[in-house]
Amino acid sequence: MSRTASLAVSGLLIAALTACSSGDAADRGAGDLGTIEPGVLKVAIQPYAPYTDYQGGQLSGLDSDILNAVAAKLNLKVEPEVTDFAGMLAGVQSRRVDITVGGVAWSADRQKQGLFTDPPYYSPPAMAVKSGKEYKTISDLENLRLATVEGYVWVKSIQAVPGAQLLAYPDGNGVIDDLGAERADVGFLDPLIIIAAQKARPELGIKTQYLTPPSDADVQQKPAYEYFRSYMTSFYLPKESTALEQAISREIRAMYGNGELTELVEKYGGDPEQFLKPAPHIAPLRRDVDRPSDWTPPSI
């Protein structure tokens, strides 16, 4: 074989290897994922630290960190849009954005209008209580002053507790203030909100406890108790974005296995045993709804 022929063959081999490498990148990148703008992942968030926030041109918070890690693996540039919770859902359902993250709980109704990824974590039934107090079960909550934010899922749950007094506030600060002043006995908020308040305001003497979740029989008797159990927070995408949802779900599962999610949950003060292990009632919620009948929720 002549030198010219050898160079030609070498050139073809290099071209073929380059094409294969580019193809591998495309498999993980935006080219086949159907984002609104190639190479860009448009995400809607609301300021909800320490889950999501946008300060100084940077996304922060647990959900934001998970999304940034996934986007980097898929060769996507994250482009945030700040809105409110209703705007987050509407942006996805009208496909003005590619995804929304931060406090979007999976529900059978929402999945009819969009796609949910596998859960990047589970939100455990956390309670803010004064140090020295201990409540473990729903029966321990009877006849107590139970606080939460107006419109939160726990409002109906609290109303179903015998003898309990519902205290509803415009935001989480009111819940924390009245717990610290002992005008409330227990506060129901998202767990990282409670943990952040403990760190920021140690003088209030508040700690985090996790409620023993009600059984299936308990929930069947009182359906409002459903939100005293852990629930799935997942990333939410437009109905058309099947390839993108599947790619993100694959990366989320990989992060359970390689320890990345454990590190991120611990970064924000969460307990991986509570956040990254699904309760028994989780899998049946999605099986034969938006997941196959043999779907297994991700877990550490």
Side-chain angles (χ1 to χ4, degrees):
M1 182 180 292
S2 69
R3 174 178 169 79
T4 303
S6 296
L7 289 172
V9 171
S10 297
L12 289 171
L13 287 171
I14 292 170
L17 290 171
T18 302
C20 289
S21 176
S22 299
D24 291 343
D27 286 342
R28 292 172 60 82
D32 295 328
L33 298 182
T35 53
I36 295 168
E37 181 181 336
V40 175
L41 187 65
K42 296 179 183 290
V43 56
I45 68 150
Q46 65 172 341
Y48 192 56
Y51 291 93
T52 50
D53 206 357
Y54 188 63
Q55 299 287 339
Q58 296 292 323
L59 278 174
S60 62
L62 176 59
D63 289 69
S64 300
D65 285 359
I66 296 170
L67 183 71
N68 283 332
V70 168
K73 298 171 196 294
L74 297 175
N75 301 316
L76 294 170
K77 177 185 177 182
V78 176
E79 185 177 287
E81 173 186 304
V82 179
T83 180
D84 57 17
F85 190 75
M88 288 163 51
L89 298 182
V92 163
Q93 291 165 1
S94 62
R95 205 175 179 233
R96 295 194 305 272
V97 296
D98 295 300
I99 193 169
T100 189
V101 305
V104 184
W106 182 92
S107 73
D109 286 338
R110 284 180 186 156
Q111 65 84 30
K112 293 176 183 175
Q113 302 178 72
L115 300 176
F116 280 98
T117 64
D118 279 357
Y121 59 88
Y122 308 92
S123 191
M127 303 179 293
V129 302
K130 285 285 284 186
S131 297
K133 305 288 185 179
E134 188 168 350
Y135 308 104
K136 294 182 177 180
T137 66
I138 294 175
S139 62
D140 292 337
L141 304 178
E142 294 179 6
N143 304 309
L144 297 183
R145 299 165 297 175
L146 307 181
T148 192
V149 175
E150 296 168 356
Y152 277 20
V153 293
W154 296 288
V155 168
K156 292 182 178 179
S157 300
I158 290 169
Q159 290 172 330
V161 176
Q165 179 186 355
L166 168 66
L167 303 177
Y169 299 81
D171 56 44
N173 290 327
V175 175
I176 297 299
D177 288 342
D178 274 12
L179 279 168
E182 299 192 62
R183 291 188 293 266
D185 298 304
V186 177
F188 284 91
L189 297 168
D190 287 311
L192 294 186
I193 301 292
I194 302 172
I195 292 167
Q198 286 178 243
K199 293 178 180 178
R201 305 177 67 182
E203 73 280 2
L204 296 182
I206 291 171
K207 64 178 182 178
T208 304
Q209 290 180 4
Y210 293 100
L211 187 69
T212 301
S215 66
D216 289 343
D218 293 332
V219 173
Q220 187 173 8
Q221 184 178 7
K222 288 191 175 184
Y225 283 179
E226 174 67 31
Y227 292 101
F228 283 144
R229 306 203 284 190
S230 64
Y231 63 89
M232 286 176 280
T233 61
S234 295
F235 297 166
Y236 193 46
L237 299 88
K239 272 290 188 185
E240 303 90 341
S241 302
T242 52
L244 182 59
E245 181 277 311
Q246 290 169 6
I248 293 173
S249 289
R250 282 196 300 271
E251 298 299 343
I252 286 171
R253 283 186 174 269
M255 291 174 72
Y256 273 87
N258 64 21
E260 287 182 77
L261 284 178
T262 295
E263 291 181 9
L264 289 176
V265 167
E266 289 177 338
K267 172 183 174 180
Y268 291 97
D271 179 357
E273 292 292 314
Q274 292 284 346
F275 280 75
L276 299 176
K277 288 187 175 181
H281 72 277
I282 292 291
L285 292 174
R286 296 186 71 171
R287 285 175 178 165
D288 293 322
V289 179
D290 67 343
R291 288 295 186 269
S293 59
D294 60 351
W295 180 69
T296 300
S299 179
I300 54 174

